[in-house]
Amino acid sequence: MHPLLWSTLAICFGIQAVFFAFAASLKTDKVTDLSYGLTFIAAAVWLWLTHGDGAAPGLVLTAMVVLWGVRLSAYLFRRILHMQRDARFDGVREHFWRFAKFWFFQGLAVWLILLPVTLWFETPRATWSPSTWIGALIWAAGLLIEAVADQQKFAHRRTAGARWTDIGLWKYSRHPNYFGELLCWWGVFVFTAADLAGMNAWLAAIGPLSITGVLLCLTGIPPLEESADRKWGKDPAYQAYKRRTNLLVLGPRRA
């Protein structure tokens, strides 16, 4: 394995270990999501400081990860302070090894998602190509969609209580924040793709595929859809919303 991959793996697990020690000792889940974004930021900045060549593409790529991480960390930390607890960890935070497993897989996820960035910094280029511009635009669109969707949901939940979110972007997707998230990381991959070749290109593709798999099949959409069905599955208005609204991709409402 590339030496740089070992280095970022150590950073990802090291930061998770520090936050886990704090969270486990206090049996709190208030820093779980915060540590997720901060790990991306720390790894990306370290890559730029140690392997960047000072050229604009490397700085822009680093800024893409940092801005995404700062925005997400700030939002999720604000949200958990408002919620006081994360129901996902009920019955988990009190059990050391079950809680530790979450932190382990979170560190692994960050490392995998960052693979395009890590591999790109092995051989950074100082010139722009069409794919870097396209990737940056895809990332920017994703960040805007994710930020707007998160804010709309947060504001709606504070005013509408337990009702499902069906305003703004949520009229056109049941999970627009996740759609924005995927655009961000596919944008990062496209940004780096032209400079990667051979095995590195295949390894880099694991990054966006990993976050896509997590959101579509594991801890993203499936548990949220199941929770919504338990809460509102018998409500005709919710069933109509679900029938008319795309699951993920923003698009026109169905009749």
Side-chain angles (χ1 to χ4, degrees):
M1 191 164 70
H2 300 286
L4 204 54
L5 294 178
W6 284 114
S7 300
T8 52
L9 184 64
I11 291 171
C12 291
F13 280 126
I15 294 174
Q16 295 303 301
V18 171
F19 275 93
F20 168 66
F22 173 81
S25 63
L26 298 181
K27 292 184 172 55
T28 179
D29 47 39
K30 289 186 178 179
V31 296
T32 51
D33 288 328
L34 177 65
S35 70
Y36 179 70
L38 291 180
T39 304
F40 280 98
I41 294 169
V45 170
W46 180 84
L47 286 167
W48 178 63
L49 290 176
T50 59
H51 290 76
D53 58 6
L59 179 60
V60 170
L61 181 59
T62 304
M64 288 162 65
V65 178
V66 170
L67 289 174
W68 171 87
V70 168
R71 204 280 321 167
L72 183 67
S73 297
Y75 166 72
L76 293 177
F77 192 57
R78 175 190 175 201
R79 187 184 68 172
I80 193 62
L81 291 179
H82 175 73
M83 294 167 54
Q84 293 300 310
R85 70 178 182 85
D86 189 334
R88 294 177 302 168
F89 297 100
D90 290 346
V92 175
R93 68 180 75 85
E94 298 82 9
H95 301 279
F96 183 88
W97 290 113
R98 290 179 64 187
F99 204 26
K101 183 169 70 172
F102 163 81
W103 293 88
F104 172 83
F105 283 109
Q106 180 160 273
L108 181 62
V110 174
W111 180 70
L112 289 173
I113 296 166
L114 267 179
L115 281 175
V117 180
T118 304
L119 292 167
W120 187 90
F121 269 104
E122 283 203 321
T123 54
R125 287 179 55 182
T127 58
W128 292 91
S129 67
S131 67
T132 55
W133 287 107
I134 293 171
L137 290 174
I138 294 172
W139 170 87
L143 186 69
L144 179 62
I145 291 170
E146 186 176 19
V148 171
D150 279 342
Q151 183 56 38
Q152 288 175 339
K153 183 174 183 178
F154 186 78
H156 182 72
R157 287 292 178 86
R158 297 188 70 176
T159 57
R163 180 181 165 86
W164 63 92
T165 306
D166 57 357
I167 63 168
L169 297 178
W170 299 81
K171 291 181 181 179
Y172 310 104
S173 167
R174 302 205 299 276
H175 303 279
N177 53 339
Y178 287 162
F179 178 59
E181 175 97 346
L182 292 179
L183 286 180
C184 282
W185 289 110
W186 280 102
V188 167
F189 173 70
V190 171
F191 186 101
T192 65
D195 298 327
L196 301 174
M199 183 57 68
N200 278 1
W202 289 103
L203 287 175
I206 294 173
L209 289 173
S210 295
I211 187 63
T212 302
V214 167
L215 293 184
L216 293 183
C217 305
L218 298 174
T219 62
I221 290 176
L224 290 178
E225 287 289 303
E226 292 172 7
S227 175
D229 285 339
R230 286 195 301 269
K231 293 176 182 177
W232 309 301
K234 296 181 180 180
D235 189 326
Y238 175 72
Q239 288 299 330
Y241 167 74
K242 189 174 180 179
R243 183 177 62 255
R244 297 182 61 195
T245 310
N246 289 343
L247 176 67
L248 177 67
V249 178
L250 289 168
R253 306 188 79 182
R254 295 182 288 274

